[in-house]
Amino acid sequence: MSLLEVRNVNKSYGGRGRSSGIPVLRDVSFALEAGESLGLVGESGSGKTTLIKIVVGLERPDSGDVLYEGVERSSASRSTRRGFSKDVQLVFQDPVSSLNPRMTVRQLVEEGLVIHGLAGDRSGRTERVAEVLSLVGLDPDQMERLPSSFSGGQCQRIAIARALAVSPRVLVCDEAVSALDVSIQAQILNLLADMREQLGISLFFVAHDLAVVRYLCPRVMVMSRGTIVEEGPREQIFGDPQHEYTRALLEAVPVPTPVRR
Amino acid sequence: MIRSDGPLLRMRDVCIDVPGKAGSVRLVDGFSLDIAPAERVALVGESGSGKSITARAIMRLAPQTVTSGSIEFDGLDLGSLPERAMTRLRGRRIGMVFQDPMRALNPLMTIGDQLTESLRDEGVGKSEAVRRAVAILEEIGVPNAAQRLRAYPHEFSGGMRQRVAIAIALIGEPDLLIADEPTTALDVRVQRQVLQLLDRIARDRSLAVLLITHDLGLVANFVDRVAVMYAGRKVEDRRCWELFEQPAHPYTQALLATVLRLDRPVTRPKTIPGAPPHPAGRPNGCAFHPRCELAAPECSRQVPSLRRLAKGGEVACDVVGRI
């Protein structure tokens, strides 16, 4: 049994009355195993974000289902769904806009603990906040500060700490490094790789940057116009792509080796 | 027409300050750059490096004023040029393309009106302006150009919008095109099309280009020269292929080492510790020294000046010169 499974998911937007709307996802199925890093690449409009929303439960599919530990979310009880949302945590693209600017780092990281009733009382939670902050390379002594006093890269560390605080089993990353400076991207990528390794969690990493996905994920899916057009080990996707679309995507990536002239 | 013999663009010791909470903040500190006619130069840097402000200062679009230094375009001192003359220069001699075409285009004006606006202001007749608008749209690969003149920006895809923005920048037949992250908002495949288009047009028209970008991979096969900025200063200026083959500044070296490449085996990328400084908190001496592997005690004492390298180009580092 897979840790998380997306089964024949369809989703359309804008349907009203008899019109069925514009299909955004068409019969999408895949499975994520425990401890696995799975990548999803696709261009804007391919349906990546909608798929993420469905995976974490922010949107409901029109048909099909998401299974967590073999249990269908649509028929799960409220408390099961709650456990599900604790176990599947999301890291967004832009840490500066995804963190509430009026909450301190402690409040931000603690919020999930409070909601899910974890880590006991206030002192227990403080201990847990300090623990995850050091895990992601931040100074726990700075937990009373606001996000505005941190750089973009540090804010993304805060967002990752916030996701990790509740001990999730899956970390879903939506373009988690695209908004960061080049010199910071590598830091955050290495942090994610280390977290996955140390904590044994699964990573569902969604991005448009092919090189980034290739580095983090041994298995990669390629999405175009709401369907997964190719799926396989990264050696295949990047070394011997089968689908025409994958080939076109790879060809478009600029090669950073200039010709002498 | 280019009149002077020297460089097309000549920037000397340009400093740009903005008022801050605790006194003025220097965003750009002693920046110099020459661009020859038909030469293509990339200005590469991370956010806060001052690369966009520098580009806007050339067009006098920055709300910040150039505090000191000079900017000359084809022998004209842009600092002392009256506003009317500057307006004529923009669009006519210097074209500009921005990152987000949706924001750069007027949503309430048709593409045709936006294309012909600058020509009509100069007294070009309506039918001649329309003819030129259709011609440039065709050159730039917009299908059904004549009909599309009546369309509004929202009726175009992102890539097509950026093509239209490029067409607007080029319709006045400028000598210099300033492109600020022109492909950053686009998907990879569209990014490549737009870059190929810029490449062809620049070649056909012997256009000088200043490309502002954070993406080193993008510039590799597009520009002749690369200037790297860090914390408001130019730290390296080299021929493009030499920069990639043998970067001189420790920052450039580190930056190239962090780039993940599809043409290399999967390895853990090197990282640069810390983050780029905020302009208000720029470290003393070389601004990169707190993050630099090669930092020596003197690096924190004085700002290294740009030195000429024997093989050509310039670098602002006192340590690498000794190795």
Side-chain angles (χ1 to χ4, degrees):
Chain A
M1 184 181 63
S2 303
L3 180 62
L4 191 130
E5 193 185 339
V6 169
R7 198 179 275 174
N8 307 110
V9 159
N10 285 282
K11 179 78 185 173
S12 298
Y13 283 124
R16 214 180 277 162
R18 277 195 199 155
S19 118
S20 54
I22 297 158
V24 180
L25 294 177
R26 298 179 230 214
D27 198 28
V28 172
S29 298
F30 68 90
L32 177 71
E33 307 302 328
E36 186 191 16
S37 285
L38 174 63
L40 175 68
V41 294
E43 293 178 299
S44 48
S46 62
K48 297 188 303 263
T49 301
T50 305
L51 183 56
I52 286 175
K53 285 182 178 168
I54 286 173
V55 165
V56 300
L58 289 170
E59 286 270 7
R60 273 188 213 173
D62 296 340
S63 66
D65 217 331
V66 178
L67 287 79
Y68 184 70
E69 293 184 306
V71 180
E72 292 178 349
R73 179 162 39 208
S74 59
S75 55
S77 70
R78 221 187 141 96
S79 67
T80 311
R81 280 211 301 271
R82 219 159 218 261
F84 186 117
S85 65
K86 175 195 91 67
D87 276 351
V88 184
Q89 288 290 317
L90 182 55
V91 176
F92 296 92
Q93 173 170 3
D94 182 3
V96 178
S97 61
S98 66
L99 298 176
N100 185 337
R102 308 183 67 147
M103 283 167 80
T104 63
V105 172
R106 170 219 286 280
Q107 290 169 326
L108 285 162
V109 177
E110 196 180 39
E111 197 175 26
L113 299 172
V114 175
I115 289 169
H116 294 289
L118 302 168
D121 59 1
R122 187 171 164 86
S123 73
R125 290 199 300 267
T126 305
E127 209 172 291
R128 177 65 183 153
V129 170
E131 189 187 359
V132 284
L133 285 178
S134 10
L135 194 63
V136 301
L138 290 171
D139 181 0
D141 290 343
Q142 300 184 333
M143 70 167 81
E144 302 305 338
R145 295 203 193 171
L146 295 170
S148 56
S149 58
F150 293 88
S151 69
Q154 286 174 317
C155 282
Q156 198 59 308
R157 288 178 194 267
I158 296 169
I160 293 170
R162 175 177 154 88
L164 292 177
V166 296
S167 311
R169 298 190 62 195
V170 182
L171 204 57
V172 178
C173 300
D174 184 5
E175 299 280 7
V177 300
S178 338
L180 304 176
D181 268 321
V182 198
S183 75
I184 306 301
Q185 278 197 9
Q187 291 177 10
I188 299 298
L189 286 174
N190 289 344
L191 173 69
L192 287 169
D194 294 344
M195 291 299 103
R196 199 207 57 75
E197 177 107 14
Q198 280 176 33
L199 307 173
I201 54 179
S202 307
L203 206 59
F204 182 42
F205 192 86
V206 183
H208 71 281
D209 187 329
L210 297 156
V212 160
V213 171
R214 174 173 172 260
Y215 164 57
L216 273 185
C217 308
R219 189 160 71 94
V220 176
M221 305 190 293
V222 182
M223 194 160 191
S224 168
R225 294 165 178 230
T227 51
I228 291 167
V229 295
E230 185 164 359
E231 179 271 314
R234 67 179 154 210
E235 292 73 21
Q236 175 202 315
I237 301 285
F238 294 98
D240 182 23
Q242 300 300 304
H243 197 279
E244 198 187 332
Y245 178 78
T246 314
R247 271 183 237 133
L249 264 190
L250 284 171
E251 265 171 32
V253 177
V255 182
T257 310
V259 184
R260 269 171 183 254
R261 51 180 171 186
Chain B
M1 267 322 273
I2 297 171
R3 292 180 197 98
S4 71
D5 306 331
L8 182 64
L9 182 77
R10 189 171 182 274
M11 303 179 79
R12 281 294 171 278
D13 301 312
V14 171
C15 295
I16 302 173
D17 294 346
V18 285
K21 276 180 211 149
S24 72
V25 175
R26 180 143 292 184
L27 296 184
V28 176
D29 188 23
F31 182 84
S32 300
L33 185 77
D34 283 355
I35 300 181
E39 188 183 24
R40 298 189 210 168
V41 179
L43 196 52
V44 175
E46 297 180 87
S47 54
S49 64
K51 57 188 193 302
S52 289
I53 298 274
T54 304
R56 281 164 183 269
I58 300 170
M59 296 284 263
R60 290 211 331 225
L61 289 174
Q64 304 77 20
T65 44
V66 174
T67 317
S68 62
S70 67
I71 304 177
E72 283 173 27
F73 177 78
D74 195 13
L76 295 167
D77 178 12
L78 299 188
S80 61
L81 210 61
E83 190 52 39
R84 271 180 69 104
M86 193 65 216
T87 307
R88 269 209 306 278
L89 209 70
R90 291 189 199 111
R92 195 92 186 100
R93 311 257 349 247
I94 309 176
M96 190 146 184
V97 178
F98 299 91
Q99 175 172 346
D100 182 356
M102 199 59 207
R103 284 209 307 225
L105 299 173
N106 185 335
L108 299 176
M109 270 170 86
T110 64
I111 295 304
D113 285 346
Q114 296 186 59
L115 271 164
T116 53
E117 192 180 22
S118 66
L119 296 177
R120 300 281 287 138
D121 280 353
E122 277 173 31
V124 177
K126 175 138 198 219
S127 60
E128 169 64 11
V130 167
R131 193 191 60 74
R132 281 167 65 179
V134 171
I136 194 141
L137 284 183
E138 277 170 354
E139 185 183 347
I140 233 138
V142 176
N144 302 324
Q147 286 96 302
R148 296 300 261 164
L149 286 182
R150 259 167 279 145
Y152 288 88
H154 74 267
E155 299 176 64
F156 288 79
S157 67
M160 278 297 159
R161 271 202 290 269
Q162 194 59 298
R163 281 168 197 258
V164 170
I166 292 170
I168 291 172
L170 294 178
I171 198 160
E173 299 183 346
D175 302 307
L176 172 67
L177 179 72
I178 300 175
D180 190 355
E181 304 271 7
T183 65
T184 307
L186 306 173
D187 278 322
V188 221
R189 287 182 309 158
V190 184
Q191 186 174 65
R192 189 167 80 148
Q193 289 164 6
V194 169
L195 205 64
Q196 282 173 340
L197 172 82
L198 277 174
D199 187 47
R200 176 169 59 81
I201 285 185
R203 202 173 330 111
D204 291 352
R205 299 177 167 228
S206 301
L207 187 66
V209 180
L210 178 62
L211 175 72
I212 319 293
T213 183
H214 69 281
D215 188 347
L216 273 167
L218 196 72
V219 308
N221 285 300
F222 181 72
V223 297
D224 307 307
R225 242 172 70 213
V226 180
V228 182
M229 279 187 92
Y230 186 78
R233 298 185 188 127
K234 186 166 86 169
V235 296
E236 185 160 2
D237 188 340
R238 304 278 302 281
R239 264 198 293 268
C240 184
W241 65 265
E242 285 179 343
L243 181 102
F244 280 85
E245 212 154 86
Q246 241 179 1
H249 198 281
Y251 173 62
T252 320
Q253 290 174 10
L255 207 55
L256 280 168
T258 64
V259 175
L260 288 161
R261 305 178 52 146
L262 287 177
D263 57 345
R264 303 267 167 87
V266 179
T267 45
R268 193 175 166 93
K270 286 210 173 125
T271 57
I272 310 176
H278 189 271
R282 185 180 297 126
N284 287 332
C286 170
F288 187 60
H289 85 265
R291 306 175 73 192
C292 183
E293 277 183 356
L294 303 175
E298 71 264 27
C299 296
S300 58
R301 278 185 230 125
Q302 57 176 0
V303 180
S305 49
L306 282 159
R307 277 185 300 111
R308 292 226 149 267
L309 293 167
K311 54 196 165 206
E314 296 174 309
V315 64
C317 177
D318 293 333
V319 176
V320 287
R322 284 192 260 126
I323 298 169

